[in-house]
Amino acid sequence: MSKKVALHNLGCKVNAYEVEAMQQLLEQAGYEIVPFQEGADVYLINTCTVTNIADRKSRQMLHKAKKMNPEAIVVATGCYAQTDTEKLKADTSVDLILGNNQKNRIVEALAEYEKEHAKKACVIEINKTKEYEELSIDHTAEHVRAYIKVQDGCNQFCTYCIIPYARGRVRSRKIQEILEEVRALAAKGYREVVLTGIHLSSYGIDFQEAEERQTLLSLIQAVHSVEGIERIRLGSLEPRIITREFMEGISGLSKVCPHFHLSLQSGCQRTLENMNRRYTAEEYAQKCSLIREYYPAPALTTDVIVGFPMESEADFEESFEFVKNIHFYETHIFKYSRRQGTKAAAMEGQITEAVKAARSEKMLELNRQRSLEYEESMIGKNLEILLEEEVELQGKAYYLGHSREYVKVAVEKTESLKVNDLLTVKITGFTEEHILGGELV
């Protein structure tokens, strides 16, 4: 009888991709994938370490797994397993530890554990490797959209971030291998791909040989040529990749969606310097203007941290006004979380939780206003929608999907429509849930 494996992911889209890749390796080896509940023979938790809270959640899930079946093999993999290996070695709930760049060894590592029944840690010095860990998927939990990992590692060392220590230096995946995966997904009916990585903008900077020298732009151009793929989205970008050459390159590619997540973190120049971000607020604003030169109504989204060490009230107001003036579609707001092992954790001028909460709420209110403004600007326009799921709204059956700008749209169900259809609708207004309603064009 085949062994039962339950998997649980914590953290980012890259982590989610890696869990799906590990699941497919396990399926190919004959394991049965089951829900994360009592009765599994193996529990695999892909951990996160981006904050101290993420560390705690990772430990809690590992302990929960062992409680559900004390006889099961509990596997800790991912970023927390990489940065806190010694702590996990001492944790009696964990049987097998797989660090980053070791996930493709999951089947082999489980077989070795079964033979020896002794606690095992497969963790390399991640900052010394130049090897990209090859993982791939040929299907995904989403029915219409596939996230594809194309890059790992980060060389930036922002003062608040532990990820370069957990993921190592920039390592890029070869274009040919990415294209093989994209073609396989297209053959199974996926119409949209999202290129993602730990620091996507750095794609290709590690390639040494002349024939291998590629950039994110050349990767996008290659993926654009794959038949069956109708849309290409990009994961989080750094402002400095937004050059005129880059914008001219992607704006000429019809499959690239006008949806850009441009990481900001703060609109205050002093705070950006304290964070060791590699651009000025003025440069960031120029990049947003450049995007709008090539796309008339792009969806610009971003991340902002409030309550960073030494952020005065004046600094916060400077950041708030900056965000207000850019007019983002969505702003993801994070209260600064002190992360042991980073420079920011040892900085003077740590901000109280009460102040962080007040600043966060003010930013959140601005985000609500700006999101509504952007969605209202779509009323009367024709948008291309990729249908993703069937739902019931106000007692009626609808399909939900996203526009190229990643605006969620509800389309009333008819017999002629189905999930994964790509259609154009005229935006007519909002439902009570503030989802845009569409009328078929």
Side-chain angles (χ1 to χ4, degrees):
M1 194 170 73
S2 60
K3 294 260 185 180
K4 297 177 180 177
V5 182
L7 303 98
H8 184 79
N9 181 60
L10 295 160
C12 63
K13 293 294 185 184
V14 170
N15 262 19
Y17 172 93
E18 291 168 345
V19 161
E20 291 195 324
M22 285 188 284
Q23 176 176 320
Q24 288 172 39
L25 288 172
L26 289 162
E27 286 172 334
Q28 289 161 16
Y31 286 88
E32 179 189 354
I33 307 303
V34 298
F36 200 87
Q37 56 195 33
E38 290 182 15
D41 302 301
V42 178
Y43 292 93
L44 185 151
I45 292 90
N46 197 19
T47 62
C48 178
T49 194
V50 71
T51 64
N52 291 334
I53 293 168
D55 283 358
R56 187 169 72 243
K57 286 182 179 176
S58 296
R59 290 191 297 270
Q60 286 171 345
M61 287 307 300
L62 292 162
H63 297 162
K64 179 181 178 181
K66 185 56 88 173
K67 281 179 184 174
M68 285 195 292
N69 183 2
E71 301 304 313
I73 302 168
V74 176
V75 184
T77 187
C79 292
Y80 178 62
Q82 181 68 43
T83 57
D84 270 318
T85 309
E86 294 307 311
K87 198 173 282 185
L88 287 178
K89 282 181 181 177
D91 192 326
T92 56
S93 293
V94 180
D95 303 299
L96 179 59
I97 305 164
L98 286 180
N100 287 326
N101 259 46
Q102 297 291 292
K103 294 172 185 176
N104 58 6
R105 295 189 64 239
I106 180 60
V107 174
E108 177 190 345
L110 279 171
E112 289 171 0
Y113 179 85
E114 293 270 27
K115 280 181 189 174
E116 301 166 12
H117 281 283
K119 190 157 191 164
K120 189 174 180 65
C122 305
V123 182
I124 63 170
E125 288 188 66
I126 197 71
N127 285 316
K128 293 188 177 177
T129 188
K130 294 181 179 178
E131 180 185 351
Y132 179 86
E133 179 184 26
E134 193 53 47
L135 290 165
S136 64
I137 60 172
D138 64 8
H139 62 278
T140 176
E142 289 204 42
H143 298 296
V144 302
R145 179 181 300 108
Y147 286 82
I148 298 177
K149 179 185 169 190
V150 302
Q151 177 276 335
D152 208 337
C154 180
N155 299 347
Q156 299 301 295
F157 290 92
C158 299
T159 58
Y160 53 82
C161 188
I162 198 72
I163 296 306
Y165 304 97
R167 286 281 180 172
R169 300 298 166 269
V170 168
R171 305 180 301 287
S172 303
R173 188 178 181 190
K174 291 180 179 170
I175 283 185
Q176 196 52 45
E177 291 164 356
I178 297 167
L179 290 179
E180 286 173 13
E181 183 172 18
V182 174
R183 290 187 190 112
L185 289 161
K188 291 201 171 180
Y190 291 91
R191 305 183 79 169
E192 182 176 307
V193 292
V194 186
L195 304 182
T196 188
I198 297 300
H199 195 260
L200 183 62
S201 300
S202 293
Y203 178 84
I205 66 167
D206 54 314
F207 288 149
Q208 297 299 318
E209 296 177 22
E211 64 271 19
E212 277 191 342
R213 284 205 185 121
Q214 302 287 352
T215 64
L216 182 58
L217 177 57
S218 60
L219 169 61
I220 297 165
Q221 289 167 334
V223 173
H224 190 272
S225 68
V226 176
E227 192 174 338
I229 297 301
E230 305 287 345
R231 290 177 169 185
I232 301 169
R233 291 192 194 278
L234 306 177
S236 181
L237 299 174
E238 288 293 311
R240 287 195 168 177
I241 199 169
I242 305 298
T243 61
R244 193 162 291 280
E245 178 190 8
F246 183 79
M247 294 310 301
E248 284 178 357
I250 64 169
S251 62
L253 303 174
S254 61
K255 296 178 184 180
V256 175
C257 293
H259 170 214
F260 300 94
H261 187 87
L262 208 58
S263 184
L264 173 61
Q265 308 308 352
S266 177
C268 168
Q269 186 54 41
R270 188 174 83 101
T271 304
L272 285 174
E273 290 169 7
N274 288 338
M275 290 176 167
N276 194 34
R277 299 294 285 173
R278 310 294 180 88
Y279 50 84
T280 65
E282 183 182 1
E283 284 174 329
Y284 186 99
Q286 289 168 354
K287 303 300 185 181
C288 293
S289 297
L290 187 58
I291 292 171
R292 285 172 169 143
E293 264 188 55
Y294 288 87
Y295 294 93
L300 296 184
T301 61
T302 197
D303 304 310
V304 171
I305 296 173
V306 298
F308 193 74
M310 297 184 286
E311 182 188 66
S312 67
E313 197 60 38
D315 292 337
F316 169 71
E317 288 299 330
E318 182 182 332
S319 184
F320 178 84
E321 288 300 318
F322 183 89
V323 172
K324 184 178 177 182
N325 292 333
I326 295 290
H327 288 261
F328 293 106
Y329 170 37
E330 285 184 340
T331 305
H332 304 284
I333 296 108
F334 301 90
K335 291 178 279 189
Y336 169 71
S337 177
R338 203 169 185 172
R339 180 60 178 83
Q340 290 174 345
T342 63
K343 287 186 177 180
M347 285 182 178
E348 295 179 357
Q350 298 289 329
I351 309 298
T352 67
E353 291 304 314
V355 170
K356 289 180 197 174
R359 292 176 183 176
S360 174
E361 188 49 49
K362 187 170 180 178
M363 279 284 192
L364 284 167
E365 180 53 36
L366 174 62
N367 174 57
R368 286 188 280 268
Q369 293 170 16
R370 289 293 186 249
S371 292
L372 189 59
E373 282 173 17
Y374 187 79
E375 290 177 351
E376 285 179 337
S377 75
M378 296 294 162
I379 294 175
K381 291 184 179 178
N382 293 340
L383 298 185
E384 179 194 270
I385 311 301
L386 182 59
L387 301 184
E388 297 162 28
E389 61 176 328
E390 186 180 334
V391 297
E392 187 178 293
L393 300 172
Q394 301 169 359
K396 277 186 175 181
Y398 283 84
Y399 283 112
L400 285 186
H402 282 90
S403 73
R404 290 166 59 82
E405 298 82 3
Y406 213 65
V407 173
K408 191 180 279 187
V409 177
V411 180
E412 196 167 339
K413 183 182 177 183
T414 67
E415 287 185 8
S416 63
L417 298 179
K418 63 184 183 302
V419 167
N420 209 28
D421 278 352
L422 200 62
L423 60 147
T424 301
V425 300
K426 183 176 182 179
I427 304 305
T428 55
F430 295 90
T431 69
E432 284 182 9
E433 290 84 359
H434 294 283
I435 298 167
L436 287 165
E439 180 181 279
L440 286 177
V441 173

